[in-house]
Amino acid sequence: MKLFTAVLIALLPCLAAPPDVDKAKAVGNPAAPIVIEVFGSFDCPHCKVLHETTIPLLVKDYVATGKVFLVQREYPLWGPYHPYAWQAAQFATAAARVGKYSEVADSLFANQAAWSTTGRVWDAVAAVLPPADQKKVQELVRDPGVMAEVQRDHDEGTAAGITATPAMFVINGSKRYPIPAEKLEYSLLKSLLDGFLKK
């Protein structure tokens, strides 16, 4: 019985209902039968590949058809090899508050090689914002609420067992399934989603 209880406690983060999400970082119908959460770091090359190859296919085949609600979550990496990841996540979160998350996320990934080495994160952000939004985002990035949102996403990812990016969870009903990195290739992910949708 003690072993069963220990296993159940270990699985609780995976069985929990999805947390409240920033709707400005989500696409699709919130009432879709499946929710997918993607935790990523804007300076992660694997996150860039996922964002530019798999996510557009997911949007076309599942989000646009009302089968999946796709939620982007921040999980900026840390340490000496990731000096600008948190800054990028804060700019993207600030941009979400003016309705420009996807534009800024696209630009951060497209220009990853430049800003992740030079630290000129703002150049990638400003390139896709009109002047009025640039001013708002520069103000919002200093808002404690923006910083707290990034930290909350990161903490929730850590509590769910994330140790590397990108990380994905498929939420089907009340169950939250972690998707191993090797299954993030689109054909495998598609097979998994189709299996959930047939149940």
Side-chain angles (χ1 to χ4, degrees), residues 22-42:
D22 182 344
K23 301 265 189 310
K25 294 182 181 180
V27 291
N29 179 0
I34 292 177
V35 175
I36 292 180
E37 288 182 299
V38 178
F39 287 79
S41 183
F42 287 109

Side-chain angles (χ1 to χ4, degrees), residues 4 15 18 26 45 55 67 78 92 102 109 127 144 146 153 161 190 197:
F4 175 77
L15 299 176
I55 297 298
K67 298 172 186 171
W78 60 94
S102 62
F109 281 123
V146 166
D153 274 1
K190 184 177 188 316
L197 289 164

Side-chain angles (χ1 to χ4, degrees), residues 14 20 30 33 41 72 79 84 92 113 133 135 140 158 166 176 182 185:
C14 297
D20 289 334
S41 183
Q72 302 287 344
Y84 310 111
D133 285 342
K135 184 176 180 188
L140 284 165
T158 300
R176 190 178 198 198
E182 64 273 11
E185 195 274 319

Side-chain angles (χ1 to χ4, degrees), residues 61-110:
D61 294 342
Y62 293 94
V63 176
T65 58
K67 298 172 186 171
V68 164
F69 183 53
L70 180 65
V71 178
Q72 302 287 344
R73 306 288 300 276
E74 307 306 332
Y75 197 81
L77 297 172
W78 60 94
Y81 299 109
H82 307 281
Y84 310 111
W86 283 79
Q87 185 181 6
Q90 289 169 347
F91 272 123
T93 300
R97 301 213 173 167
V98 298
K100 302 287 185 182
Y101 182 81
S102 62
E103 293 89 340
V104 168
D106 289 348
S107 183
L108 286 168
F109 281 123

Side-chain angles (χ1 to χ4, degrees), residues 36-41 44-58 62 70 72 162 164-170 177-193:
I36 292 180
E37 288 182 299
V38 178
F39 287 79
S41 183
C44 163
H46 302 292
C47 296
K48 174 181 168 67
V49 170
L50 182 74
H51 181 83
E52 295 177 345
T53 60
T54 301
I55 297 298
L57 294 172
L58 271 177
Y62 293 94
L70 180 65
Q72 302 287 344
I162 294 173
T165 57
M168 183 182 287
F169 293 89
V170 172
Y177 301 92
I179 306 302
E182 64 273 11
K183 293 215 172 166
L184 292 181
E185 195 274 319
Y186 186 66
S187 63
L188 294 172
L189 190 56
K190 184 177 188 316
S191 175
L192 182 72
L193 292 175

Side-chain angles (χ1 to χ4, degrees), residues 104-173:
V104 168
D106 289 348
S107 183
L108 286 168
F109 281 123
N111 297 288
Q112 183 186 82
W115 67 260
S116 67
T117 54
T118 66
R120 297 180 64 159
V121 181
W122 175 246
D123 290 353
V125 174
V128 294
L129 296 176
D133 285 342
Q134 288 180 17
K135 184 176 180 188
K136 289 178 193 170
V137 167
Q138 284 182 315
E139 290 168 0
L140 284 165
V141 80
R142 294 187 293 272
D143 182 333
V146 166
M147 295 179 215
E149 182 178 335
V150 173
Q151 186 65 57
R152 186 170 55 250
D153 274 1
H154 194 275
D155 291 348
E156 288 174 5
T158 300
I162 294 173
T163 57
T165 57
M168 183 182 287
F169 293 89
V170 172
I171 301 161
N172 187 15

